[in-house]
Amino acid sequence: LFLAPHLAVLATAGAAVADGDEKAARAAKLAQAMAVVTFTKKIDQATDKALKLQKAGDFKNAETQWNIVVDTYESGDDGVVISAQAIYRLGKSLALRADTRSELGQRRKKEATLNAAIDDYKRSLTIVESAEVRVKLATILLIVKRDAEAEKEFDAVVESDVGNQIKGRAYNNRGLVKQQQGKWSEAVDDFQQAVSISQGGSPEAMKNLALAKFGAGDEAGSLTMMRQQSKDMIFGVVEGAEDIPSALAAAEAATGDALQAAKDFAKVQDIRYKDVRFVTEGRLWPPRLVAGLQSLLPKP
């Protein structure tokens, strides 16, 4: 088949254009693939650094690395960020940055940093539902005294189908919301639930239950629990129940057993639990227990 000269030229030109378009398409596809590799590498490196810094307790620099991760996800090309896996990882990264900000905020007593953690937890939950993250969110809301919001989040966890370990933490921390509000009987109910469903019984929940019982007027029941917990501390104070030695002495003083109170108070080694402000604001002791502690302190 022979083509007229002008048709032959057109055919050749068309083939060249098609070949050029194909090369351009391949180049664009390669460039996109390289962009994805660069994008992923940047995130993976920053994530690895952030996790190591968190583990080492360097939360300030860990936050910087999490900022890189989150900012990279949010500024990436649609072809990368829009994938389900990338969105899921963004949700997880937001929760991990919130953990870092939570630690920083509590250590430095900076409410702005705690509020930033709250925002991150909330954003994470819009992407990936997690009872664990919801408990963390509610706990920070409790710390900044946003009680109604905290209680709502704890309610969502205790009413959901999650394991007893997480549900126990939610009951315990919702009890702290009630304790902070002076609703001692309601706090007792929540702490009792936490003790009941926690594997082996949570020392923290048992300590909180003993304190709440005292606040609710069950002083005999509270003293019985405190004495038992004190006896169980054969190898020293148990983590989560650090209040018990001082609280027991304060309870004995408040109920008129001054001699035993003085003996038990002499055994208290952690000076924080000889600080009225600390046990009132930091540990939420009931007023009558605080008064018992005050009676044991040297008069100015």
Side-chain angles (χ1 to χ4, degrees):
L1 177 64
F2 294 97
L3 297 176
H6 67 283
L7 293 178
V9 170
L10 287 174
T12 303
V17 169
D19 185 53
D21 289 345
E22 187 177 343
K23 286 181 179 179
R26 284 201 303 267
K29 190 173 182 179
L30 179 61
Q32 185 180 24
M34 291 304 297
V36 171
V37 170
T38 302
F39 176 91
T40 304
K41 184 178 180 180
K42 184 177 182 181
I43 286 173
D44 287 348
Q45 287 178 339
T47 298
D48 185 57
K49 288 179 182 178
L51 291 171
K52 287 178 179 177
L53 288 165
Q54 270 183 270
K55 188 175 181 180
D58 187 351
F59 296 103
K60 174 67 175 174
N61 287 315
E63 182 187 23
T64 299
Q65 294 302 316
W66 286 124
N67 289 343
I68 293 171
V69 173
V70 172
D71 292 347
T72 302
Y73 272 124
E74 293 181 333
S75 63
D77 295 332
D78 287 344
V80 177
V81 178
I82 206 168
S83 74
Q85 183 182 12
I87 293 173
Y88 176 83
R89 289 187 64 184
L90 170 60
K92 290 292 188 180
S93 297
L94 284 165
L96 288 165
R97 184 172 72 174
D99 291 345
T100 299
R101 288 175 165 175
S102 171
E103 286 288 343
L104 277 173
Q106 290 180 73
R107 291 183 179 202
R108 298 180 177 183
K109 302 186 185 305
K110 287 191 175 181
E111 190 167 329
T113 306
L114 292 173
N115 285 329
I118 288 169
D119 291 341
D120 275 351
Y121 282 135
K122 287 184 174 181
R123 288 181 63 199
S124 175
L125 287 166
T126 65
I127 299 170
V128 184
E129 176 55 42
S130 165
E132 177 78 23
V133 171
R134 200 169 290 281
V135 168
K136 290 178 179 180
L137 165 62
T139 302
I140 300 302
L141 288 167
L142 165 65
I143 290 172
V144 298
K145 299 189 183 336
R146 290 160 62 173
D147 291 356
E149 293 176 74
E151 189 173 351
K152 182 179 177 181
E153 298 296 342
F154 286 132
D155 287 347
V157 176
V158 300
E159 292 166 8
S160 64
D161 185 19
V162 296
N164 283 345
Q165 183 178 4
I166 293 177
K167 191 169 286 191
R169 284 172 52 205
Y171 271 120
N172 179 74
N173 290 5
R174 189 174 72 175
L176 293 175
V177 176
K178 304 295 187 182
Q179 191 169 325
Q180 188 160 268
Q181 297 170 334
K183 298 177 180 178
W184 298 103
S185 294
E186 292 181 34
V188 166
D189 291 339
D190 275 346
F191 293 139
Q192 186 64 68
Q193 284 286 353
V195 170
S196 298
I197 67 176
S198 298
Q199 187 175 8
S202 161
E204 181 182 2
M206 287 192 286
K207 176 265 297 183
N208 288 336
L209 177 57
L211 295 181
K213 278 178 175 285
F214 201 90
D218 183 7
E219 295 177 353
S222 174
L223 274 164
T224 298
M225 286 193 70
M226 288 188 199
R227 284 173 178 146
Q228 185 58 54
Q229 281 190 280
S230 183
K231 287 179 182 177
D232 291 341
M233 294 179 183
I234 301 171
F235 301 107
V237 177
V238 177
E239 184 178 357
E242 294 89 349
D243 306 61
I244 289 299
S246 181
L248 174 58
E252 289 164 341
T255 54
D257 193 350
L259 184 60
Q260 187 61 46
K263 288 180 180 178
D264 286 333
F265 194 61
K267 301 174 188 175
V268 176
Q269 297 180 351
D270 191 333
I271 62 171
R272 294 177 301 167
Y273 295 94
K274 296 181 178 182
D275 183 334
V276 170
R277 182 175 179 180
F278 175 74
V279 300
T280 303
E281 298 177 6
R283 305 302 283 186
L284 305 175
W285 283 17
R288 190 159 145 73
L289 201 59
V290 173
L293 175 63
Q294 285 178 311
S295 72
L296 292 168
L297 297 174
K299 300 298 184 286

